[in-house]
Amino acid sequence: MARKKQAEKHGDIVLPNGIDVDLDQAWAKLIENQFPGSAGRGFGELIQNFLDSYPAATPWEERSGEIASGTDWISITDHGEGMDRNRLALLVTLGGTDKNHDNSKIGTFGVGFFSIFNPKLGTRRVRLVTQCEGRTVEMVFQVTEPGKRPRISTKVLKKKISFSTRIKVTFSDPDAVKLCLKHADRCLRYYPCAVTINGAPHESVWQQAQQDGAIMFEEGNCHGFIQKENWISNTTVLCKYEFLVQTRFRTLLTGGRRMKYDLRDYRRASMPFIDDHCYTINCNDLSVTISRDSFTMDSAYDAMIASLTRVLTRELGNRLSQSFSVPLVAANQYTLIGKLHDYFHSTNFNKQTDPDIRQVIQFLAQAKIYRFNGRRRYFSLQDIFEMKSEGIPLFYSPRQTNLHWLGGNFKHDFIVLPPECRIGRGAPDLFDVIFDVLFKDVVNLDKIDQQTDRLNQLIKSGIIDKESLQPRVEFQGERELTKEEKTFLEELNAFFSLPSILKVIADNLYLPVREIKTVFFDIRDQKAVIATGLFDGEGKALAESANCNLNVQDADGNQERKDNRNIVLGLHRGHELIKSMINNDDPYRLYFALPILAHELALCQKQLVPYSAGYHLVKERLASDMRQALMAHLLTERKAA
């Protein structure tokens, strides 16, 4: 029965003044809801108690026991230390345990034994016989009503026993025996102890792994083995050899948080990548949750990951020494980039690094997997490090899409061509990370055309010449134009003579414009897709330095404004957009053509002067203001008509 609640009267109000426990409700919820999944897990708690019955110093392989079963019963026998009076008292106390401060024990919370009374099992009777301080003690738990606390009786037996403790459970449902045997098989699968089930020795995964030639390891707080398999959930995690979870190795590394599902997950943990392997890992120090199906990512977890890193780094060395793999080398240069950095830049690397790990990092540094553009032989990171000139960036091109950048007209030692690396799903920044961490001053030619700030740095340091970045354009004279092209230019020039249009361009592009003249041009650089652009009177594309309506200082420090200038608006007559405008016979074609040109203008100017960041920021506003100015002009014309 539930205890009477503690309360205190305050006038005509009665309020609680203490904490009480409804034992009947607590018992019912505990025995049925303690563990998710099969009710057979309750028998697994008895297996854990059998293993904990041995002194901590007893090797797991020497902990023996027997499981037997009949039609409606199952028993488990151990040969450990038995149970003294204190342990028997704790056994029948909710939350009672002497294991919570003993890291060698599996049990922690003092509630696992009660799960064998789960109503889903139909438990009728539990009989415990144990050696207790030189005597044989029997304790019987008789279930009178499912879900209710059992009636307990104890007595001292005169008969001596040859074992330490035996627990026999009798069920009203014979299927409960099958559930318990099934869970016992799964539970004992991971314990490296000597157990028989109905007389037959039970083989653990540890015995199977040794027979199959798996790689066994003991490192720090970890004991485990590695097998050459290829499963999705390729990692089994144990604590004190109790099964906790089966998951992906990358999930173990990241805790399932912010996963990228590629080599970036391994790099976050500085973990070597080895493909086609499965792992079984036991860590005795993990902080296990009360449901015993997960663990917290605390310092014990960090220590486990560190141990695994050392184990897998050595295994990586064995793998590479047996079979050289270019993708595997590249993948691990990425995941172990921190150690590679220390190899090249830290004077204490040789002193502070484990010799086996140092050998692997040295192998990765000296593996010849890189080519140089125009050369046949292969080079290593060590070679690149020694051959690179001081003050010259390292140029590389993973996709090899821009090997003839600027026609080779820039200062460089060589262009590195990295190998393809797709194992472990690769990583989008793989070689960017490797080269940036090791060499700092680097240029990815595949991306450089879109990196305005980096282009300006290269110009400032004298690596490239500003003029070499601009596509070469040639203005077309009037004799080379068709009648339609001449007519189109005349219409444009008429519009650009309007003060309202000049003001829109001047205000948006910060260009003090006196006059705008339109011409057609052809472009020699076939890769550049340019419809239009702004040029000065000498035919050079305008950069931000031409934005001269801003106040500047003269030699004496006084503010002055530069004079307005003539601007040339170039149209690429080979571009499909320009050709469609020329061939359109709509009398109002310029009213929709000019806003489109205004939008394109900023984008194209970015290609003409790639080191300038200003024009693309104003394209939408320029097009909008141009549209408003044209509408106002159109309305004025109609009123005049």
Side-chain angles (χ1 to χ4, degrees), residues 214-251:
I215 302 164
M216 314 298 293
F217 67 84
E218 287 193 43
E219 177 73 33
N221 61 348
C222 290
H223 175 211
F225 58 85
I226 304 171
Q227 294 173 295
K228 190 169 178 57
E229 299 284 352
N230 191 16
W231 306 336
I232 294 178
S233 297
N234 63 343
T235 304
T236 302
V237 182
L238 317 172
C239 180
K240 303 182 183 75
Y241 299 97
E242 176 189 10
F243 175 86
L244 295 182
V245 66
Q246 192 168 47
T247 185
R248 295 183 178 187
F249 190 65
R250 68 175 73 248
T251 305

mmCIF file of all heavy atoms in Angstrom, residues 214-251:
data_model
loop_
_atom_site.group_PDB
_atom_site.id
_atom_site.type_symbol
_atom_site.label_atom_id
_atom_site.label_comp_id
_atom_site.label_asym_id
_atom_site.label_seq_id
_atom_site.Cartn_x
_atom_site.Cartn_y
_atom_site.Cartn_z
ATOM 1 N N ALA A 214 40.642 -11.572 -37.439
ATOM 2 C CA ALA A 214 40.407 -10.136 -37.276
ATOM 3 C C ALA A 214 41.605 -9.483 -36.587
ATOM 4 O O ALA A 214 42.419 -10.142 -35.932
ATOM 5 C CB ALA A 214 39.142 -9.895 -36.464
ATOM 6 N N ILE A 215 41.703 -8.181 -36.737
ATOM 7 C CA ILE A 215 42.781 -7.416 -36.108
ATOM 8 C C ILE A 215 42.351 -7.079 -34.682
ATOM 9 O O ILE A 215 41.439 -6.277 -34.467
ATOM 10 C CB ILE A 215 43.063 -6.131 -36.904
ATOM 11 C CG1 ILE A 215 43.425 -6.474 -38.347
ATOM 12 C CG2 ILE A 215 44.160 -5.314 -36.241
ATOM 13 C CD1 ILE A 215 43.355 -5.291 -39.287
ATOM 14 N N MET A 216 42.967 -7.700 -33.700
ATOM 15 C CA MET A 216 42.622 -7.469 -32.302
ATOM 16 C C MET A 216 43.486 -6.327 -31.758
ATOM 17 O O MET A 216 44.654 -6.179 -32.135
ATOM 18 C CB MET A 216 42.851 -8.734 -31.474
ATOM 19 C CG MET A 216 42.314 -10.014 -32.106
ATOM 20 S SD MET A 216 40.519 -10.032 -32.360
ATOM 21 C CE MET A 216 39.927 -10.058 -30.672
ATOM 22 N N PHE A 217 42.919 -5.522 -30.861
ATOM 23 C CA PHE A 217 43.708 -4.421 -30.302
ATOM 24 C C PHE A 217 43.297 -4.132 -28.866
ATOM 25 O O PHE A 217 42.162 -4.386 -28.456
ATOM 26 C CB PHE A 217 43.563 -3.155 -31.152
ATOM 27 C CG PHE A 217 42.183 -2.538 -31.141
ATOM 28 C CD1 PHE A 217 41.784 -1.672 -30.126
ATOM 29 C CD2 PHE A 217 41.278 -2.813 -32.158
ATOM 30 C CE1 PHE A 217 40.525 -1.099 -30.119
ATOM 31 C CE2 PHE A 217 40.011 -2.246 -32.163
ATOM 32 C CZ PHE A 217 39.632 -1.387 -31.140
ATOM 33 N N GLU A 218 44.243 -3.634 -28.115
ATOM 34 C CA GLU A 218 44.021 -3.076 -26.783
ATOM 35 C C GLU A 218 44.807 -1.784 -26.721
ATOM 36 O O GLU A 218 46.018 -1.775 -26.900
ATOM 37 C CB GLU A 218 44.473 -4.040 -25.683
ATOM 38 C CG GLU A 218 43.551 -5.226 -25.493
ATOM 39 C CD GLU A 218 43.835 -5.992 -24.212
ATOM 40 O OE1 GLU A 218 44.054 -5.328 -23.174
ATOM 41 O OE2 GLU A 218 43.848 -7.227 -24.257
ATOM 42 N N GLU A 219 44.115 -0.685 -26.497
ATOM 43 C CA GLU A 219 44.746 0.636 -26.515
ATOM 44 C C GLU A 219 44.034 1.532 -25.516
ATOM 45 O O GLU A 219 42.832 1.775 -25.627
ATOM 46 C CB GLU A 219 44.661 1.253 -27.911
ATOM 47 C CG GLU A 219 45.219 2.660 -28.027
ATOM 48 C CD GLU A 219 46.736 2.698 -27.972
ATOM 49 O OE1 GLU A 219 47.365 1.736 -28.458
ATOM 50 O OE2 GLU A 219 47.279 3.679 -27.443
ATOM 51 N N GLY A 220 44.773 2.021 -24.528
ATOM 52 C CA GLY A 220 44.164 2.906 -23.540
ATOM 53 C C GLY A 220 43.002 2.226 -22.851
ATOM 54 O O GLY A 220 43.134 1.137 -22.283
ATOM 55 N N ASN A 221 41.842 2.844 -22.913
ATOM 56 C CA ASN A 221 40.658 2.288 -22.259
ATOM 57 C C ASN A 221 39.816 1.448 -23.211
ATOM 58 O O ASN A 221 38.657 1.159 -22.925
ATOM 59 C CB ASN A 221 39.800 3.423 -21.678
ATOM 60 C CG ASN A 221 39.299 4.374 -22.764
ATOM 61 O OD1 ASN A 221 39.760 4.318 -23.905
ATOM 62 N ND2 ASN A 221 38.366 5.241 -22.411
ATOM 63 N N CYS A 222 40.389 1.065 -24.344
ATOM 64 C CA CYS A 222 39.627 0.346 -25.373
ATOM 65 C C CYS A 222 40.174 -1.054 -25.612
ATOM 66 O O CYS A 222 41.382 -1.286 -25.568
ATOM 67 C CB CYS A 222 39.653 1.111 -26.697
ATOM 68 S SG CYS A 222 38.710 2.631 -26.669
ATOM 69 N N HIS A 223 39.267 -1.957 -25.883
ATOM 70 C CA HIS A 223 39.591 -3.315 -26.316
ATOM 71 C C HIS A 223 38.642 -3.622 -27.461
ATOM 72 O O HIS A 223 37.436 -3.370 -27.356
ATOM 73 C CB HIS A 223 39.386 -4.303 -25.158
ATOM 74 C CG HIS A 223 39.579 -5.738 -25.549
ATOM 75 N ND1 HIS A 223 38.894 -6.772 -24.951
ATOM 76 C CD2 HIS A 223 40.370 -6.307 -26.501
ATOM 77 C CE1 HIS A 223 39.267 -7.915 -25.499
ATOM 78 N NE2 HIS A 223 40.163 -7.659 -26.439
ATOM 79 N N GLY A 224 39.158 -4.123 -28.555
ATOM 80 C CA GLY A 224 38.265 -4.373 -29.679
ATOM 81 C C GLY A 224 38.936 -5.122 -30.794
ATOM 82 O O GLY A 224 40.050 -5.634 -30.660
ATOM 83 N N PHE A 225 38.238 -5.182 -31.912
ATOM 84 C CA PHE A 225 38.805 -5.817 -33.097
ATOM 85 C C PHE A 225 38.233 -5.166 -34.351
ATOM 86 O O PHE A 225 37.171 -4.534 -34.326
ATOM 87 C CB PHE A 225 38.561 -7.331 -33.100
ATOM 88 C CG PHE A 225 37.122 -7.752 -33.028
ATOM 89 C CD1 PHE A 225 36.332 -7.850 -34.175
ATOM 90 C CD2 PHE A 225 36.542 -8.064 -31.803
ATOM 91 C CE1 PHE A 225 35.013 -8.244 -34.109
ATOM 92 C CE2 PHE A 225 35.211 -8.461 -31.726
ATOM 93 C CZ PHE A 225 34.444 -8.554 -32.880
ATOM 94 N N ILE A 226 38.988 -5.328 -35.436
ATOM 95 C CA ILE A 226 38.627 -4.740 -36.728
ATOM 96 C C ILE A 226 38.519 -5.870 -37.740
ATOM 97 O O ILE A 226 39.408 -6.723 -37.832
ATOM 98 C CB ILE A 226 39.691 -3.725 -37.190
ATOM 99 C CG1 ILE A 226 39.900 -2.645 -36.121
ATOM 100 C CG2 ILE A 226 39.299 -3.091 -38.512
ATOM 101 C CD1 ILE A 226 41.072 -1.726 -36.400
ATOM 102 N N GLN A 227 37.435 -5.874 -38.490
ATOM 103 C CA GLN A 227 37.221 -6.877 -39.527
ATOM 104 C C GLN A 227 37.042 -6.201 -40.873
ATOM 105 O O GLN A 227 36.516 -5.089 -40.950
ATOM 106 C CB GLN A 227 35.975 -7.718 -39.212
ATOM 107 C CG GLN A 227 36.106 -8.571 -37.961
ATOM 108 C CD GLN A 227 34.794 -9.237 -37.601
ATOM 109 O OE1 GLN A 227 33.822 -8.565 -37.264
ATOM 110 N NE2 GLN A 227 34.764 -10.559 -37.669
ATOM 111 N N LYS A 228 37.461 -6.880 -41.915
ATOM 112 C CA LYS A 228 37.308 -6.331 -43.266
ATOM 113 C C LYS A 228 35.924 -6.710 -43.779
ATOM 114 O O LYS A 228 35.712 -7.777 -44.345
ATOM 115 C CB LYS A 228 38.400 -6.853 -44.191
ATOM 116 C CG LYS A 228 38.440 -6.137 -45.538
ATOM 117 C CD LYS A 228 39.680 -6.493 -46.322
ATOM 118 C CE LYS A 228 39.682 -5.821 -47.687
ATOM 119 N NZ LYS A 228 39.572 -4.355 -47.599
ATOM 120 N N GLU A 229 34.979 -5.844 -43.518
ATOM 121 C CA GLU A 229 33.598 -6.009 -43.953
ATOM 122 C C GLU A 229 33.121 -4.663 -44.475
ATOM 123 O O GLU A 229 33.810 -3.650 -44.357
ATOM 124 C CB GLU A 229 32.705 -6.468 -42.790
ATOM 125 C CG GLU A 229 33.090 -7.809 -42.191
ATOM 126 C CD GLU A 229 32.676 -8.986 -43.048
ATOM 127 O OE1 GLU A 229 31.954 -8.764 -44.045
ATOM 128 O OE2 GLU A 229 33.080 -10.123 -42.735
ATOM 129 N N ASN A 230 31.916 -4.642 -45.022
ATOM 130 C CA ASN A 230 31.388 -3.386 -45.555
ATOM 131 C C ASN A 230 29.903 -3.289 -45.229
ATOM 132 O O ASN A 230 29.050 -3.524 -46.070
ATOM 133 C CB ASN A 230 31.615 -3.309 -47.068
ATOM 134 C CG ASN A 230 31.315 -1.921 -47.617
ATOM 135 O OD1 ASN A 230 31.227 -0.957 -46.868
ATOM 136 N ND2 ASN A 230 31.145 -1.815 -48.916
ATOM 137 N N TRP A 231 29.598 -2.958 -43.976
ATOM 138 C CA TRP A 231 28.220 -2.756 -43.545
ATOM 139 C C TRP A 231 27.961 -1.268 -43.408
ATOM 140 O O TRP A 231 28.869 -0.473 -43.190
ATOM 141 C CB TRP A 231 27.955 -3.417 -42.192
ATOM 142 C CG TRP A 231 28.308 -4.872 -42.123
ATOM 143 C CD1 TRP A 231 28.397 -5.759 -43.162
ATOM 144 C CD2 TRP A 231 28.642 -5.612 -40.943
ATOM 145 N NE1 TRP A 231 28.755 -6.998 -42.706
ATOM 146 C CE2 TRP A 231 28.908 -6.950 -41.347
ATOM 147 C CE3 TRP A 231 28.725 -5.292 -39.597
ATOM 148 C CZ2 TRP A 231 29.255 -7.945 -40.449
ATOM 149 C CZ3 TRP A 231 29.064 -6.284 -38.696
ATOM 150 C CH2 TRP A 231 29.326 -7.594 -39.119
ATOM 151 N N ILE A 232 26.685 -0.893 -43.503
ATOM 152 C CA ILE A 232 26.329 0.513 -43.284
ATOM 153 C C ILE A 232 26.523 0.866 -41.813
ATOM 154 O O ILE A 232 27.224 1.811 -41.468
ATOM 155 C CB ILE A 232 24.877 0.777 -43.735
ATOM 156 C CG1 ILE A 232 24.757 0.598 -45.250
ATOM 157 C CG2 ILE A 232 24.451 2.195 -43.339
ATOM 158 C CD1 ILE A 232 23.354 0.782 -45.776
ATOM 159 N N SER A 233 25.882 0.086 -40.926
ATOM 160 C CA SER A 233 26.104 0.272 -39.482
ATOM 161 C C SER A 233 27.296 -0.592 -39.101
ATOM 162 O O SER A 233 27.151 -1.731 -38.647
ATOM 163 C CB SER A 233 24.849 -0.117 -38.695
ATOM 164 O OG SER A 233 23.768 0.716 -39.028
ATOM 165 N N ASN A 234 28.482 -0.056 -39.305
ATOM 166 C CA ASN A 234 29.697 -0.865 -39.233
ATOM 167 C C ASN A 234 30.421 -0.792 -37.899
ATOM 168 O O ASN A 234 31.549 -1.253 -37.782
ATOM 169 C CB ASN A 234 30.660 -0.440 -40.347
ATOM 170 C CG ASN A 234 31.132 1.000 -40.193
ATOM 171 O OD1 ASN A 234 30.534 1.781 -39.465
ATOM 172 N ND2 ASN A 234 32.205 1.345 -40.877
ATOM 173 N N THR A 235 29.788 -0.231 -36.871
ATOM 174 C CA THR A 235 30.469 -0.053 -35.590
ATOM 175 C C THR A 235 29.570 -0.497 -34.445
ATOM 176 O O THR A 235 28.432 -0.033 -34.324
ATOM 177 C CB THR A 235 30.869 1.420 -35.388
ATOM 178 O OG1 THR A 235 31.674 1.836 -36.489
ATOM 179 C CG2 THR A 235 31.647 1.591 -34.098
ATOM 180 N N THR A 236 30.085 -1.399 -33.615
ATOM 181 C CA THR A 236 29.378 -1.861 -32.425
ATOM 182 C C THR A 236 30.118 -1.340 -31.200
ATOM 183 O O THR A 236 31.328 -1.535 -31.074
ATOM 184 C CB THR A 236 29.321 -3.398 -32.381
ATOM 185 O OG1 THR A 236 28.668 -3.873 -33.565
ATOM 186 C CG2 THR A 236 28.552 -3.869 -31.164
ATOM 187 N N VAL A 237 29.387 -0.664 -30.310
ATOM 188 C CA VAL A 237 29.990 -0.071 -29.119
ATOM 189 C C VAL A 237 29.507 -0.832 -27.884
ATOM 190 O O VAL A 237 28.300 -1.049 -27.708
ATOM 191 C CB VAL A 237 29.628 1.420 -28.992
ATOM 192 C CG1 VAL A 237 30.303 2.025 -27.762
ATOM 193 C CG2 VAL A 237 30.050 2.176 -30.248
ATOM 194 N N LEU A 238 30.448 -1.226 -27.044
ATOM 195 C CA LEU A 238 30.163 -1.950 -25.810
ATOM 196 C C LEU A 238 30.732 -1.174 -24.629
ATOM 197 O O LEU A 238 31.694 -0.415 -24.777
ATOM 198 C CB LEU A 238 30.801 -3.347 -25.836
ATOM 199 C CG LEU A 238 30.702 -4.173 -27.124
ATOM 200 C CD1 LEU A 238 31.554 -5.429 -27.002
ATOM 201 C CD2 LEU A 238 29.253 -4.535 -27.407
ATOM 202 N N CYS A 239 30.144 -1.379 -23.474
ATOM 203 C CA CYS A 239 30.724 -0.863 -22.230
ATOM 204 C C CYS A 239 30.734 -2.001 -21.226
ATOM 205 O O CYS A 239 29.674 -2.561 -20.908
ATOM 206 C CB CYS A 239 29.922 0.314 -21.686
ATOM 207 S SG CYS A 239 30.615 0.986 -20.151
ATOM 208 N N LYS A 240 31.914 -2.351 -20.759
ATOM 209 C CA LYS A 240 32.094 -3.533 -19.911
ATOM 210 C C LYS A 240 31.500 -4.752 -20.606
ATOM 211 O O LYS A 240 30.905 -5.622 -19.984
ATOM 212 C CB LYS A 240 31.486 -3.314 -18.532
ATOM 213 C CG LYS A 240 32.052 -2.092 -17.792
ATOM 214 C CD LYS A 240 31.438 -1.955 -16.416
ATOM 215 C CE LYS A 240 31.946 -0.703 -15.718
ATOM 216 N NZ LYS A 240 31.347 0.521 -16.252
ATOM 217 N N TYR A 241 31.641 -4.755 -21.919
ATOM 218 C CA TYR A 241 31.219 -5.831 -22.821
ATOM 219 C C TYR A 241 29.706 -5.976 -22.917
ATOM 220 O O TYR A 241 29.209 -6.938 -23.492
ATOM 221 C CB TYR A 241 31.873 -7.163 -22.429
ATOM 222 C CG TYR A 241 33.372 -7.072 -22.518
ATOM 223 C CD1 TYR A 241 34.144 -6.820 -21.385
ATOM 224 C CD2 TYR A 241 34.018 -7.178 -23.740
ATOM 225 C CE1 TYR A 241 35.519 -6.695 -21.464
ATOM 226 C CE2 TYR A 241 35.396 -7.053 -23.836
ATOM 227 C CZ TYR A 241 36.142 -6.806 -22.696
ATOM 228 O OH TYR A 241 37.503 -6.672 -22.791
ATOM 229 N N GLU A 242 28.983 -5.007 -22.406
ATOM 230 C CA GLU A 242 27.534 -4.981 -22.590
ATOM 231 C C GLU A 242 27.226 -4.215 -23.875
ATOM 232 O O GLU A 242 27.758 -3.128 -24.107
ATOM 233 C CB GLU A 242 26.858 -4.288 -21.409
ATOM 234 C CG GLU A 242 25.352 -4.143 -21.586
ATOM 235 C CD GLU A 242 24.721 -3.265 -20.520
ATOM 236 O OE1 GLU A 242 25.472 -2.619 -19.757
ATOM 237 O OE2 GLU A 242 23.481 -3.221 -20.456
ATOM 238 N N PHE A 243 26.374 -4.782 -24.718
ATOM 239 C CA PHE A 243 26.006 -4.133 -25.970
ATOM 240 C C PHE A 243 25.264 -2.831 -25.683
ATOM 241 O O PHE A 243 24.300 -2.801 -24.930
ATOM 242 C CB PHE A 243 25.119 -5.059 -26.805
ATOM 243 C CG PHE A 243 24.597 -4.419 -28.067
ATOM 244 C CD1 PHE A 243 25.349 -4.431 -29.223
ATOM 245 C CD2 PHE A 243 23.358 -3.791 -28.085
ATOM 246 C CE1 PHE A 243 24.875 -3.841 -30.389
ATOM 247 C CE2 PHE A 243 22.872 -3.198 -29.241
ATOM 248 C CZ PHE A 243 23.636 -3.224 -30.396
ATOM 249 N N LEU A 244 25.738 -1.733 -26.314
ATOM 250 C CA LEU A 244 25.076 -0.441 -26.172
ATOM 251 C C LEU A 244 24.376 -0.023 -27.457
ATOM 252 O O LEU A 244 23.186 0.267 -27.471
ATOM 253 C CB LEU A 244 26.083 0.642 -25.764
ATOM 254 C CG LEU A 244 26.745 0.507 -24.398
ATOM 255 C CD1 LEU A 244 27.657 1.696 -24.148
ATOM 256 C CD2 LEU A 244 25.705 0.394 -23.299
ATOM 257 N N VAL A 245 25.134 0.010 -28.548
ATOM 258 C CA VAL A 245 24.570 0.545 -29.784
ATOM 259 C C VAL A 245 25.365 0.034 -30.978
ATOM 260 O O VAL A 245 26.564 -0.260 -30.867
ATOM 261 C CB VAL A 245 24.595 2.095 -29.753
ATOM 262 C CG1 VAL A 245 26.019 2.627 -29.750
ATOM 263 C CG2 VAL A 245 23.817 2.690 -30.918
ATOM 264 N N GLN A 246 24.682 -0.101 -32.098
ATOM 265 C CA GLN A 246 25.336 -0.394 -33.373
ATOM 266 C C GLN A 246 25.040 0.769 -34.303
ATOM 267 O O GLN A 246 23.884 1.147 -34.501
ATOM 268 C CB GLN A 246 24.830 -1.703 -33.969
ATOM 269 C CG GLN A 246 25.665 -2.200 -35.145
ATOM 270 C CD GLN A 246 25.324 -3.620 -35.537
ATOM 271 O OE1 GLN A 246 24.154 -3.961 -35.670
ATOM 272 N NE2 GLN A 246 26.328 -4.458 -35.705
ATOM 273 N N THR A 247 26.074 1.360 -34.867
ATOM 274 C CA THR A 247 25.891 2.593 -35.621
ATOM 275 C C THR A 247 26.965 2.708 -36.693
ATOM 276 O O THR A 247 27.825 1.834 -36.839
ATOM 277 C CB THR A 247 25.959 3.804 -34.663
ATOM 278 O OG1 THR A 247 25.665 4.994 -35.390
ATOM 279 C CG2 THR A 247 27.341 3.933 -34.033
ATOM 280 N N ARG A 248 26.910 3.786 -37.447
ATOM 281 C CA ARG A 248 27.975 4.084 -38.398
ATOM 282 C C ARG A 248 29.180 4.646 -37.650
ATOM 283 O O ARG A 248 29.024 5.342 -36.643
ATOM 284 C CB ARG A 248 27.506 5.108 -39.432
ATOM 285 C CG ARG A 248 26.389 4.622 -40.342
ATOM 286 C CD ARG A 248 26.057 5.683 -41.371
ATOM 287 N NE ARG A 248 25.022 5.242 -42.295
ATOM 288 C CZ ARG A 248 24.639 5.918 -43.365
ATOM 289 N NH1 ARG A 248 25.206 7.083 -43.632
ATOM 290 N NH2 ARG A 248 23.703 5.456 -44.160
ATOM 291 N N PHE A 249 30.355 4.387 -38.183
ATOM 292 C CA PHE A 249 31.562 4.882 -37.527
ATOM 293 C C PHE A 249 31.576 6.409 -37.519
ATOM 294 O O PHE A 249 31.963 7.032 -36.527
ATOM 295 C CB PHE A 249 32.805 4.342 -38.240
ATOM 296 C CG PHE A 249 34.083 4.601 -37.492
ATOM 297 C CD1 PHE A 249 34.312 4.009 -36.265
ATOM 298 C CD2 PHE A 249 35.049 5.439 -38.007
ATOM 299 C CE1 PHE A 249 35.486 4.246 -35.563
ATOM 300 C CE2 PHE A 249 36.227 5.686 -37.323
ATOM 301 C CZ PHE A 249 36.443 5.084 -36.095
ATOM 302 N N ARG A 250 31.138 7.034 -38.603
ATOM 303 C CA ARG A 250 31.126 8.501 -38.662
ATOM 304 C C ARG A 250 30.136 9.070 -37.648
ATOM 305 O O ARG A 250 30.332 10.161 -37.130
ATOM 306 C CB ARG A 250 30.820 8.988 -40.076
ATOM 307 C CG ARG A 250 29.433 8.705 -40.572
ATOM 308 C CD ARG A 250 29.180 9.329 -41.947
ATOM 309 N NE ARG A 250 29.867 8.623 -43.014
ATOM 310 C CZ ARG A 250 30.875 9.138 -43.708
ATOM 311 N NH1 ARG A 250 31.309 10.350 -43.435
ATOM 312 N NH2 ARG A 250 31.448 8.460 -44.681
ATOM 313 N N THR A 251 29.054 8.325 -37.340
ATOM 314 C CA THR A 251 28.110 8.777 -36.322
ATOM 315 C C THR A 251 28.757 8.731 -34.946
ATOM 316 O O THR A 251 28.545 9.619 -34.110
ATOM 317 C CB THR A 251 26.843 7.909 -36.339
ATOM 318 O OG1 THR A 251 26.281 7.917 -37.657
ATOM 319 C CG2 THR A 251 25.811 8.431 -35.356
#
